[in-house]
Amino acid sequence: MRKFITLLFVLFISAGIANAQGLEEKLQKVGPDYAKLYMQPLVDALGTNMNSNYFYDAYVPFDKKVPIGFNVGIRFRFMNTFMSSDDQKFNFSYADSIAVGGGYAKGTYRAQDAPTAIGDKTEAIGKFYDQNGNYVPGQDITLIGGAFKTTSVPFFIPEITFGTLYGTDGSISFLPKIKISDVGSLSYFGFTLRHNISHYFPKSPVDIAVQGGYQGLSFTEPDNNDLWKSGNFFINGQVSKTYKILTGYAALQYENFKADFSYNYLHSNGTKTPVKVTVDGNNNFRFVIGGTVKVGFFAFNLDANIGKRFAISSGINFIIL
C-alpha cells in the first residue's frame, strides 16, 4: 500500500515539480526582488492547496464510558486552486545606470507585464528610461519567461487517519525523500489533530470540532541544494450535520504558508552569488462549505474554499479498521 500511495503522489505532482529544474535555471538569471514577485502566484496557489480538505465532517467519536477507541483510515486529498490572468504577469523596475559617451547616465529599467512563474513562457524585456522618463533604445535586457503557463494549479496528498482518544483524532502523511528521475528529490511531512467540541454541549443540533495541523514540503536538487522548502500551519472551527448518507459541513479557518527558495544568481561575468528568497502566501483566512456522501466504510467529499484565492477540493476516504 505504501508503494501504491507513493506512486500516486509522485505521478500526480511530479509533472509540476519536475519543472523545478527549468525553474531554477530561470531564477539564476534574476535577483531576489524579481524572484519574489515572479514566484508569488505559485506560492499562493500551493499554499491554498496544501491548506485545503483536511476534513469531511465535524464528527469525532466520543463515549464517556469508552473514552479510547481505535480506527484507522486512508484519505486521498485532491485540491485545485484557480488563478486569474492578473496572476500571470507583474510589473518590475529598478534603478540602474548605462555607459554613455565615456560616462554613465542614471535611469530606471522597467519590465511591463513580465510573466510570473505561471505566466507566458515568452521572456520579459527590460527597457531603460532616463531620469526624464524617456526610453533609451539599444539598452534592452532579456529577463525570463514563465515556467508553466496555467491558471489552474492542482495538488494531491495521501493521508492516514487515526483515532480516537477522549474525543480527539488525527492524521499523518509522510513520504521520505524520493528521487524523481534525474531532476532531484522530493520529501513531505504533515500531521493534524482534531477535538470534539459538541460533546461539551449535549443538546447541540450539529457536530462541532476544532482542528489544527502542519505540513512541510521540500525539493532538493541533485547537488543537494534545497531549491524549495515550504511549511504551512492552520487552525479551524468546523460544524456539520448528517442526514442518513449525506453530510453538510462548513468551517472558518486561519492559515499561513511560507516558502524559501535557494539558488545561485549568475552574473554576466560568470560569477555566482548565493540567493535565498522567502515568499509568504497571501491567503490567511478562508470559509469552507461542502458535502459528503458516506456509504459503509467509504466517504466522498467535495467542497469550496473561499478566501483571497478560490479552490475546489475533494477527498476519497476509506475507514479500514
Side-chain angles (χ1 to χ4, degrees), residues 213-281:
Y214 171 85
Q215 294 183 0
L217 176 71
S218 66
F219 182 81
T220 304
E221 299 172 283
D223 62 0
N224 292 322
N225 174 57
D226 291 324
L227 177 64
W228 170 297
K229 293 186 73 174
S230 63
N232 64 288
F233 164 81
F234 81 94
I235 185 169
N236 64 43
Q238 313 165 5
V239 296
S240 70
K241 181 70 174 180
T242 298
Y243 178 73
K244 295 185 178 180
I245 66 170
L246 300 177
T247 298
Y249 61 88
L252 289 175
Q253 178 169 295
Y254 168 79
E255 63 196 59
N256 64 33
F257 181 84
K258 182 177 74 171
D260 295 319
F261 301 92
S262 299
Y263 65 96
N264 290 314
Y265 174 54
L266 300 180
H267 297 272
S268 56
N269 61 6
T271 60
K272 299 180 180 180
T273 300
V275 172
K276 185 173 182 178
V277 178
T278 297
V279 183
D280 294 314

Side-chain angles (χ1 to χ4, degrees), residues 2-321:
R2 177 182 174 276
K3 290 182 178 179
F4 174 70
I5 293 175
T6 301
L7 178 62
L8 278 176
F9 186 85
V10 173
L11 288 178
F12 196 86
I13 68 172
S14 62
I17 297 296
N19 281 305
Q21 188 175 43
L23 186 61
E24 185 213 10
E25 292 173 355
K26 294 178 183 296
L27 290 176
Q28 287 178 339
K29 300 177 183 179
V30 297
D33 293 336
Y34 193 98
K36 187 170 184 177
L37 294 172
Y38 179 81
M39 294 300 299
Q40 185 72 60
L42 181 60
V43 169
D44 292 343
L46 290 179
T48 301
N49 278 337
M50 292 181 69
N51 279 304
S52 298
N53 204 243
Y54 288 106
F55 65 99
Y56 57 91
D57 64 16
Y59 174 70
V60 183
F62 179 77
D63 186 337
K64 290 182 179 180
K65 297 179 180 179
V66 188
I68 300 177
F70 181 73
N71 62 73
V72 178
I74 295 176
R75 294 197 69 205
F76 299 98
R77 295 164 48 203
F78 301 89
M79 295 79 77
N80 190 87
T81 296
F82 298 92
M83 311 299 284
S84 71
S85 58
D86 289 339
D87 296 311
Q88 295 182 309
K89 57 190 177 182
F90 68 101
N91 296 328
F92 183 78
S93 64
Y94 65 96
D96 205 344
S97 58
I98 58 174
V100 177
Y104 290 92
K106 294 182 179 180
T108 304
Y109 267 106
R110 303 175 190 170
Q112 298 292 119
D113 293 334
T116 64
I118 62 170
D120 194 281
K121 293 186 178 182
T122 303
E123 296 169 331
I125 301 297
K127 298 182 177 182
F128 188 80
Y129 294 82
D130 63 25
Q131 291 180 304
N132 295 318
N134 298 313
Y135 169 60
V136 181
Q139 300 295 326
D140 293 358
I141 57 174
T142 301
L143 297 167
I144 59 177
F148 29 87
K149 185 178 180 180
T150 184
T151 55
S152 179
V153 182
F155 206 73
F156 164 67
I157 298 173
E159 189 175 60
I160 296 174
T161 61
F162 55 87
T164 58
L165 177 65
Y166 290 90
T168 301
D169 65 9
S171 71
I172 188 168
S173 46
F174 173 77
L175 283 175
K177 189 170 288 187
I178 53 176
K179 188 176 181 180
I180 303 175
S181 65
D182 59 349
V183 177
S185 56
L186 179 74
S187 61
Y188 171 83
F189 172 76
F191 71 89
T192 70
L193 287 174
R194 184 173 63 156
H195 185 64
N196 180 320
I197 298 297
S198 51
H199 81 269
Y200 297 111
F201 307 96
K203 295 183 179 181
S204 173
V206 296
D207 292 309
I208 308 170
V210 293
Q211 184 182 42
Y214 171 85
Q215 294 183 0
L217 176 71
S218 66
F219 182 81
T220 304
E221 299 172 283
D223 62 0
N224 292 322
N225 174 57
D226 291 324
L227 177 64
W228 170 297
K229 293 186 73 174
S230 63
N232 64 288
F233 164 81
F234 81 94
I235 185 169
N236 64 43
Q238 313 165 5
V239 296
S240 70
K241 181 70 174 180
T242 298
Y243 178 73
K244 295 185 178 180
I245 66 170
L246 300 177
T247 298
Y249 61 88
L252 289 175
Q253 178 169 295
Y254 168 79
E255 63 196 59
N256 64 33
F257 181 84
K258 182 177 74 171
D260 295 319
F261 301 92
S262 299
Y263 65 96
N264 290 314
Y265 174 54
L266 300 180
H267 297 272
S268 56
N269 61 6
T271 60
K272 299 180 180 180
T273 300
V275 172
K276 185 173 182 178
V277 178
T278 297
V279 183
D280 294 314
N282 71 351
N283 200 61
N284 294 120
F285 293 93
R286 74 173 69 187
F287 173 68
V288 181
I289 185 168
T292 302
V293 177
K294 299 179 183 177
V295 180
F297 295 101
F298 167 82
F300 172 80
N301 73 289
L302 179 69
D303 57 41
N305 298 260
I306 305 164
K308 280 201 170 183
R309 302 292 178 179
F310 177 74
I312 293 292
S313 62
S314 65
I316 301 173
N317 316 276
F318 302 93
I319 304 299
I320 57 178
L321 286 176

